[in-house]
Amino acid sequence: MALTKVSSQIDLVKLEEQTQQFWKDNKTFEKSISTRPEDNKYTFLDGPPFVTGNPHYGSLLPSIAKDVIPRYQTMLGKRVRRVWGWDCHGLPVEEKVNKLFGIKSSTQLEEKLGIEKYVQECRKYVQSASSDWRWYIEKIGRWVDMDNAYYTMSVDFMESTIWAFKQIYEKGYIYRGKRVSLFSTDTSTPVSQFEVAMDQDNYREVEDLSVFVKFETQKINDQPTFFVAWTTTPWTIPANFALAVNKDFDYSLVEYDGEQFIVATDRIGYTFNASKNEVGQKGDDEVKILKHFTGTELAGFSYKPVYDYFVKDASDNDFKVYLSDEVTTDEGTGVLHVAPAFGEVDFQLGQQNELSAKSDIDEEGNLTISPWKGTYLRDASQLITEDMQSNSVLLRSEVYTHRLPFYRGVNPLIYMAQDAYFINIQKIKERTLELNQTSNWIPNHIKNGRFAQTLETSPDWCISRNRYWATIMPIWKSSDGDEIIIGSLEELASLTDQLTKREIDGKFKYFFEDAPMDLHRDVCDKIILKKDGKTYHRIPEVLDCWMDSGSAGFAEFHYPFENKEEAEASQPADFVIEYVGQVRAWFNVLLRISTLLFDKEAFTNVICTGVLAGTDGRKMSKSFGNYPDPKMILEKYGGDALRLYFMSSPVMLGEDMNFSEEAVSDNYKFLLIYWNCYKFFVDYALTFDWSCEKPGGDGKNLNTLDKWILAQLTELVLSTRQSLDEYNIPTATKGLKDFLVNDFSTWYIRRSRDRVGSNDDESDRNTCLAVMYGVLVGFTKLMAPIAPFITESIYQNLTGDESVHLQNYPKGDKSMLDKELMANMVIVRQVVEAGHAKRKESEIKLRQPLAKLTYSLPTQLSSDLEQIMAEELNVKAIEYKKSDSGQLTVSLDLELTAELKAEGQARDLIRSIQQLRKEAGLTLSDQIKIQAPEWPETFEKEILKQTVATNIAKSSELKIDKI
């Protein structure tokens, strides 16, 4: 081993750039995989980022953890495949293309560009999209194969996805039906509930016009009577087909302003905007209760619809009052307006009671009925309200503020009944809950909390989308309604003469019109299938992009068409990580699809991070200016500092956190402490030409402090391994940082300066250096997965080996543990801390020796430990007094003799000289001459020894000269 001199003026960012280049030149990442046995694999499943997005802290955070765990597992001897992926489909790309061509609606899209041209433009955009991801990924030190990345838009990936669809279909889990789900009028397509629920920022406070509508029913007391129903969607009133009441509620017939109304008794005040003391009083504008009904008594009442647009198509069950437990008195009138084409409760009531379900809007949210035809629904609400007012069917209206869901659009989502394809989640619900129990979650409470609740409450999954840029739904239909479900290109080719098969580079590929086959709409919409004399055309829908995401674990391998054994060996994934929003989204669909296809869990270990917010607690936003530019942070502090900050933070345990540049800076300072510990060892090792072969170099003649630090290191090894095995990265990271700063730097190195600097016992000095060396090498291996750059540089110089990341992770020798010594050293440090506090209180600096320290405990510490206390507190003697109470007490003899004062002056002078040496850039071996105004002559020899000086002479000021 030949150590290289270490600079104190280290630029860690530049060091990281040099290390990154070393890894590239030596293919260290590739070696970390190839040197591990093929039959000892560890599977990491990466949730691919979207191709149009740019890296930000929210994506860098999990990306760092996606490197830490695989590096750790690699050092445990595992072969960890790490291949990058790109999420390519969906609305984000369509939005970019829409903006490029000024497209505002689906109608305009199909008229202006046409579906074929539009899909081609989406493909072109993805292929040309620039991304800074590689710079960021390399800057944070993440090892991942980006050159051979998979793309969800590739025909291989999509073929695996349509295979999965067919498997699920043939197992009877997919059906076409009418169900209510969230719908985006901005994009004319359904949106999955979990897509919205994954981010609270998808919900916003919105002001809507709420209306109290009068529905005329049978006369009571020979007087016209009206049910009053409340809604925040006046645009749905033309599509009303029923009213609902609750059997458990009390309802009142009331007289108000000369008319009779029926509302829930508890909602009278709210309905008529009346205070409680007005109810029951007489007067023109006051409410008088005439009669009470139960909800059951009202069931079956008929009423006259406010609008008659759909009356001619109505059934005998329409325009009646029904019972529903979903009716509440939390808001509204206690009478529910039911429009079965809109709203989950409305649709269910419609299904249960065979109501009509007519819609009065098109897929872009524009009304289809006169006189509001072509008017967007939110604009139509005001017009319809005015019309009801003029026709005396409106009791009153008011502005109502509530939270509504949004998703990639300017308008709120609506609940709308759609004729679509669904996966029956109810059939697998119990199984997903069972499989969930086999997974380890960090934090654990999410497993049986938020995630279990998501599984329990999930509606059926609307799997079809009325969009363009996505994997096709592989369904071809004949004119009489027969369906063919395609699960492979080979199957597709067998039913049409439009595809040809060619051998390219030893592999068979399919072509369509002399171009490589694709599974997007621009190609597949042209393909016509023929079977048993029938002609089949593809349905226009595409698959929900979350089908891609949930299939990533096997589709990246092109399973089952290629790499079958490798893909199956990768299921379930050993590790996944994303932020808490993915509990309802990616984690959810992964488990769904794995259950549907393989009847097994999708992952065995999952880290669910909290939400990383801006410096002010709000969502990170450029417009808010509430976070520093990630590129600036990485260029200023480097990847290791950011890694340490994130990996030691509570966000890795599922807690939310505000980003802090100051905290990144603190971790950079920690790295400097680490570097200085390393430099301290190298400086003295080079000064004394230390090697393991020198007397004491084997580290066998250990003193108490040596045994203690090695015991602490052993405990660190064991605790770090346990934490990382449990995927508790913050505990591991904090333990490593605490050991280096508090145990190794602040205690062991500081207490060992005299042993390596001015020790006449060469063997003892070499023992100390050997211990430092062992600790540094062991600690560097432990730290390597978390701070890969600095550990690589330090390890290479310490050992001469190629890379720390090709080494095995320390196991820890339990025979090195000495629990009694470790516990006693805690007491020693408590005594020292108390002693320092008394010195500070008495304003006596540490360089001034004192005569004695007295401490009290039930049991006296060993003489070795007392000697450590004496050296640390700079006292000449230690006195022990037994304590029957068990309370630790510490006192100092503060009387200063002339001799003690002289020694204190000597130490002050030594410190000043050492500072001059440092300013002059002298090494430990450089000898000097000293000139000083005065010095205590009784300590002259010690002064010369400590400062590596040959002599000291009188002068008017303190100066040194190099010899």
Side-chain angles (χ1 to χ4, degrees):
M1 178 193 72
L3 290 171
T4 301
K5 184 179 178 181
V6 176
S7 171
S8 59
Q9 304 300 315
I10 185 64
D11 183 339
L12 293 180
V13 176
K14 186 175 181 180
L15 179 75
E16 291 182 2
E17 293 171 355
Q18 294 168 347
T19 302
Q20 185 64 252
Q21 191 59 50
F22 170 84
W23 288 339
K24 289 180 181 178
D25 294 344
N26 291 273
K27 298 188 179 300
T28 314
F29 168 41
E30 292 81 353
K31 290 177 183 176
S32 74
I33 298 174
S34 63
T35 56
R36 269 46 182 175
E38 291 188 22
D39 61 354
N40 191 24
K41 293 182 178 179
Y42 178 89
T43 307
F44 162 61
L45 177 57
D46 191 359
F50 207 80
V51 71
T52 60
N54 286 318
H56 50 80
Y57 294 115
S59 53
L60 293 178
L61 166 67
S63 209
I64 289 170
K66 291 171 185 179
D67 186 67
V68 170
I69 295 298
R71 281 185 187 271
Y72 171 65
Q73 292 294 333
T74 297
M75 293 181 75
L76 291 182
K78 301 284 186 178
R79 178 179 282 233
V80 189
R81 176 183 180 271
R82 283 164 272 176
V83 177
W84 188 264
W86 290 112
D87 190 358
C88 307
H89 286 142
L91 287 173
V93 172
E94 291 192 14
E95 287 175 345
K96 299 288 186 181
V97 176
N98 290 348
K99 186 176 181 180
L100 187 65
F101 290 93
I103 294 170
K104 302 293 185 183
S105 67
S106 297
T107 302
Q108 186 185 16
L109 180 157
E110 296 187 15
E111 292 176 352
K112 187 172 183 176
L113 283 183
I115 294 173
E116 181 177 358
K117 173 69 173 172
Y118 183 79
V119 172
Q120 291 170 356
E121 289 297 332
C122 288
R123 184 184 293 109
K124 185 191 301 182
Y125 176 82
V126 173
Q127 290 171 339
S128 63
S130 61
S131 174
D132 293 330
W133 273 95
R134 186 181 291 271
W135 184 91
Y136 284 91
I137 291 303
E138 290 181 353
K139 204 70 178 172
I140 62 173
R142 182 178 174 188
W143 276 355
V144 62
D145 184 358
M146 300 188 80
D147 295 328
N148 298 297
Y150 69 86
Y151 291 77
T152 60
M153 63 178 274
S154 74
V155 69
D156 284 352
F157 191 100
M158 290 190 291
E159 186 177 21
S160 293
T161 303
I162 66 166
W163 168 84
F165 178 88
K166 182 168 184 178
Q167 297 296 308
I168 298 169
Y169 186 94
E170 290 184 339
K171 289 181 178 181
Y173 293 114
I174 294 178
Y175 65 90
R176 186 175 185 95
K178 210 172 184 67
R179 290 286 184 274
V180 167
S181 60
L182 288 169
F183 187 86
S184 167
T185 57
D186 291 311
T187 58
S188 303
T189 195
V191 177
S192 295
Q193 273 189 324
F194 58 75
E195 287 183 273
V196 181
M198 65 187 291
D199 191 342
Q200 283 301 311
D201 290 313
N202 288 332
Y203 291 85
R204 305 175 203 164
E205 295 286 335
V206 175
E207 286 188 347
D208 269 327
L209 188 63
S210 70
V211 292
F212 297 75
V213 184
K214 298 156 58 176
F215 292 87
E216 186 174 0
T217 186
Q218 63 202 48
K219 288 184 178 181
I220 300 177
N221 301 329
D222 293 326
Q223 296 296 319
T225 303
F226 302 87
F227 284 97
V228 181
W230 174 86
T231 182
T232 59
T233 56
W235 58 271
T236 64
I237 293 296
N240 169 273
F241 282 94
L243 298 174
V245 295
N246 195 308
K247 68 179 188 307
D248 297 322
F249 292 173
D250 182 75
Y251 288 84
S252 292
L253 173 70
V254 302
E255 182 181 318
Y256 176 77
D257 197 19
E259 293 185 297
Q260 292 187 158
F261 301 99
I262 298 174
V263 297
T265 303
D266 288 347
R267 302 301 290 173
I268 291 175
Y270 175 71
T271 302
F272 300 99
N273 203 20
S275 62
K276 288 185 177 180
N277 61 2
E278 290 175 323
V279 177
Q281 294 182 2
K282 295 181 179 180
D284 292 339
D285 297 326
E286 290 153 357
V287 181
K288 181 180 180 182
I289 297 176
L290 304 176
K291 185 177 181 180
H292 289 278
F293 297 91
T294 65
T296 303
E297 289 174 315
L298 296 174
F301 274 42
S302 297
Y303 67 90
K304 179 182 177 182
V306 171
Y307 293 103
D308 61 2
Y309 293 105
F310 303 116
V311 169
K312 66 180 184 298
D313 300 316
S315 73
D316 291 340
N317 294 337
D318 294 333
F319 310 123
K320 292 181 179 178
V321 177
Y322 293 91
L323 295 175
S324 172
D325 292 336
E326 298 294 335
V327 179
T328 72
T329 54
D330 294 336
E331 57 186 7
T333 66
V335 178
L336 182 68
H337 145 63
V338 179
F342 308 100
E344 292 181 284
V345 173
D346 303 56
F347 181 78
Q348 292 298 328
L349 280 169
Q351 292 284 93
Q352 293 165 9
N353 299 291
E354 298 182 350
L355 302 176
S356 300
K358 302 293 183 180
S359 172
D360 58 349
I361 63 170
D362 61 20
E363 289 189 341
E364 292 176 5
N366 298 320
L367 265 71
T368 57
I369 53 176
S370 299
W372 310 293
K373 188 173 183 178
T375 304
Y376 185 67
L377 58 89
R378 294 185 66 78
D379 300 321
S381 283
Q382 179 66 44
L383 300 176
I384 291 172
T385 300
E386 292 171 358
D387 183 71
M388 290 191 293
Q389 179 74 51
S390 65
N391 289 313
S392 301
V393 293
L394 183 73
L395 177 68
R396 70 183 183 91
S397 64
E398 66 179 10
V399 174
Y400 185 80
T401 303
H402 52 167
R403 283 171 62 81
L404 293 179
F406 287 74
Y407 190 75
R408 296 193 174 277
V410 297
N411 291 298
L413 301 177
I414 63 172
Y415 281 95
M416 188 167 82
Q418 300 148 72
D419 189 14
Y421 285 88
F422 294 83
I423 293 181
N424 192 327
I425 298 301
Q426 313 317 309
K427 285 186 177 181
I428 62 166
K429 190 168 286 186
E430 289 302 317
R431 184 57 176 152
T432 59
L433 288 166
E434 290 173 3
L435 292 173
N436 178 41
Q437 295 305 310
T438 65
S439 299
N440 168 48
W441 282 75
I442 297 292
N444 185 62
H445 66 79
I446 291 181
K447 174 178 175 178
N448 293 316
R450 188 177 299 192
F451 192 57
Q453 184 181 29
T454 295
L455 299 178
E456 288 171 350
T457 60
S458 290
D460 286 352
W461 181 6
C462 181
I463 202 72
S464 57
R465 294 289 182 270
N466 306 319
R467 297 307 304 167
Y468 307 93
W469 180 239
T471 304
I472 60 158
M473 287 204 80
I475 301 176
W476 273 256
K477 229 173 195 179
S478 66
S479 58
D480 61 2
D482 280 354
E483 291 181 340
I484 295 177
I485 313 300
I486 297 297
S488 69
L489 293 177
E490 182 179 358
E491 187 179 357
L492 185 65
S494 70
L495 296 171
T496 181
D497 58 5
Q498 294 172 277
L499 270 63
T500 58
K501 190 176 183 180
R502 304 176 192 173
E503 187 174 354
I504 307 292
D505 297 330
K507 289 179 63 175
F508 286 103
K509 294 185 178 295
Y510 289 91
F511 284 75
F512 175 82
E513 295 181 350
D514 290 327
M517 181 54 188
D518 201 291
L519 287 169
H520 289 105
R521 289 194 65 178
D522 58 331
V523 173
C524 293
D525 285 5
K526 297 178 185 177
I527 295 176
I528 300 171
L529 306 186
K530 294 183 179 179
K531 183 179 180 182
D532 299 332
K534 292 183 182 180
T535 299
Y536 294 78
H537 296 267
R538 202 191 71 79
I539 64 172
E541 291 96 332
V542 295
L543 285 171
D544 178 8
C545 295
W546 285 99
M547 186 76 182
D548 289 345
S549 303
S551 303
F554 56 87
E556 66 166 306
F557 294 98
H558 192 208
Y559 179 86
F561 310 102
E562 294 183 89
N563 310 306
K564 194 170 186 293
E565 289 185 5
E566 185 177 8
E568 289 176 351
S570 299
Q571 303 295 320
D574 291 308
F575 171 55
V576 293
I577 175 175
E578 293 298 338
Y579 90 112
V580 68
Q582 298 291 359
V583 165
R584 295 182 180 274
W586 191 54
F587 296 144
N588 186 14
V589 298
L590 280 176
L591 181 55
R592 285 180 177 182
I593 292 179
S594 184
T595 303
L596 289 161
L597 292 177
F598 309 114
D599 192 32
K600 63 167 60 173
E601 64 273 32
F603 41 78
T604 54
N605 296 284
V606 52
I607 295 177
C608 185
T609 73
V611 176
L612 190 62
T615 53
D616 57 1
R618 294 183 292 177
K619 181 180 180 180
M620 288 187 179
S621 168
K622 289 183 179 179
S623 61
F624 295 157
N626 62 347
Y627 67 96
D629 178 32
K631 191 167 190 178
M632 178 277 289
I633 288 291
L634 286 168
E635 289 177 334
K636 183 176 181 180
Y637 300 106
D640 278 344
L642 188 64
R643 289 172 71 110
L644 282 164
Y645 166 51
F646 280 152
M647 293 304 99
S648 59
S649 68
V651 77
M652 288 298 298
L653 296 174
E655 298 180 28
D656 296 346
M657 183 181 79
N658 298 351
F659 184 84
S660 168
E661 181 179 350
E662 182 181 358
V664 181
S665 177
D666 289 341
N667 281 278
Y668 184 87
K669 293 172 184 175
F670 163 80
L671 291 170
L672 292 179
I673 294 172
Y674 179 21
W675 187 265
N676 287 334
C677 291
Y678 156 64
K679 181 183 182 303
F680 178 87
F681 163 76
V682 172
D683 284 349
Y684 280 102
L686 288 174
T687 298
F688 295 106
D689 192 25
W690 174 85
S691 72
C692 294
E693 287 73 34
K694 286 199 169 187
D698 56 5
K700 290 181 179 179
N701 300 316
L702 304 176
N703 70 11
T704 299
L705 200 63
D706 298 330
K707 293 175 183 177
W708 171 79
I709 194 63
L710 293 175
Q712 292 290 110
L713 177 65
T714 301
E715 185 173 66
L716 179 69
V717 171
L718 299 175
S719 64
T720 303
R721 285 182 69 111
Q722 179 179 346
S723 295
L724 292 179
D725 286 344
E726 295 172 353
Y727 296 84
N728 189 330
I729 302 178
T731 297
T733 307
K734 289 177 181 176
L736 288 162
K737 290 163 66 174
D738 183 67
F739 171 86
L740 182 88
V741 174
N742 296 325
D743 293 345
F744 190 52
S745 175
T746 303
W747 196 242
Y748 183 80
I749 288 181
R750 194 157 62 85
R751 291 281 10 102
S752 302
R753 287 182 180 274
D754 290 344
R755 288 178 71 194
V756 296
S758 58
N759 193 353
D760 294 329
D761 186 341
E762 180 182 2
S763 178
D764 184 54
R765 180 176 62 237
N766 288 338
T767 295
C768 184
L769 288 170
V771 171
M772 284 187 191
Y773 177 78
V775 171
L776 280 168
V777 170
F779 178 83
T780 299
K781 287 181 180 180
L782 291 173
M783 181 63 80
I786 298 167
F789 291 111
I790 192 171
T791 53
E792 185 73 291
S793 178
I794 290 175
Y795 187 81
Q796 287 175 347
N797 191 28
L798 288 176
T799 67
D801 292 337
E802 179 179 349
S803 173
V804 68
H805 304 292
L806 300 179
Q807 307 305 310
N808 293 326
Y809 208 71
K811 291 183 178 180
D813 182 357
K814 291 185 178 180
S815 67
M816 299 293 292
L817 286 175
D818 187 333
K819 294 291 187 180
E820 182 179 358
L821 173 59
M822 295 163 71
N824 283 337
M825 192 64 79
V826 171
I827 297 172
V828 168
R829 297 180 76 169
Q830 290 172 345
V831 172
V832 167
E833 183 180 359
H836 283 311
K838 291 187 178 298
R839 273 184 172 273
K840 184 176 181 180
E841 182 183 333
S842 302
E843 297 183 345
I844 300 177
K845 52 193 175 185
L846 186 59
R847 289 187 297 278
Q848 173 61 60
L850 295 175
K852 185 174 63 175
L853 173 143
T854 302
Y855 75 99
S856 297
L857 280 172
T859 305
Q860 184 173 5
L861 297 169
S862 68
S863 58
D864 289 344
L865 294 174
E866 288 186 340
Q867 182 62 28
I868 291 172
M869 292 191 298
E871 292 172 356
E872 175 63 22
L873 285 171
N874 196 10
V875 297
K876 297 299 182 180
I878 298 287
E879 182 180 79
Y880 166 74
K881 290 184 178 180
K882 187 175 180 63
S883 169
D884 296 327
S885 66
Q887 199 79 13
L888 170 66
T889 60
V890 176
S891 62
L892 290 173
D893 182 349
L894 302 176
E895 183 180 350
L896 297 179
T897 64
E899 185 178 359
L900 288 173
K901 289 181 179 179
E903 186 174 349
Q905 291 167 0
R907 292 197 176 203
D908 281 340
L909 181 60
I910 290 170
R911 181 181 180 279
S912 298
I913 295 169
Q914 298 290 37
Q915 181 62 33
L916 291 176
R917 287 180 62 93
K918 183 177 180 181
E919 292 171 359
L922 301 180
T923 67
L924 291 171
S925 58
D926 290 331
Q927 289 189 322
I928 60 170
K929 294 188 296 184
I930 304 170
Q931 297 181 56
E934 60 180 0
W935 64 92
E937 294 184 5
T938 54
F939 291 95
E940 181 175 311
K941 184 177 180 180
E942 183 67 16
I943 293 170
L944 295 175
K945 179 181 178 181
Q946 292 287 347
T947 59
V948 195
T950 56
N951 68 295
I952 183 169
K954 285 279 187 181
S955 175
S956 59
E957 60 180 318
L958 180 64
K959 293 188 296 184
I960 63 170
D961 296 302
K962 181 181 176 182
I963 297 177

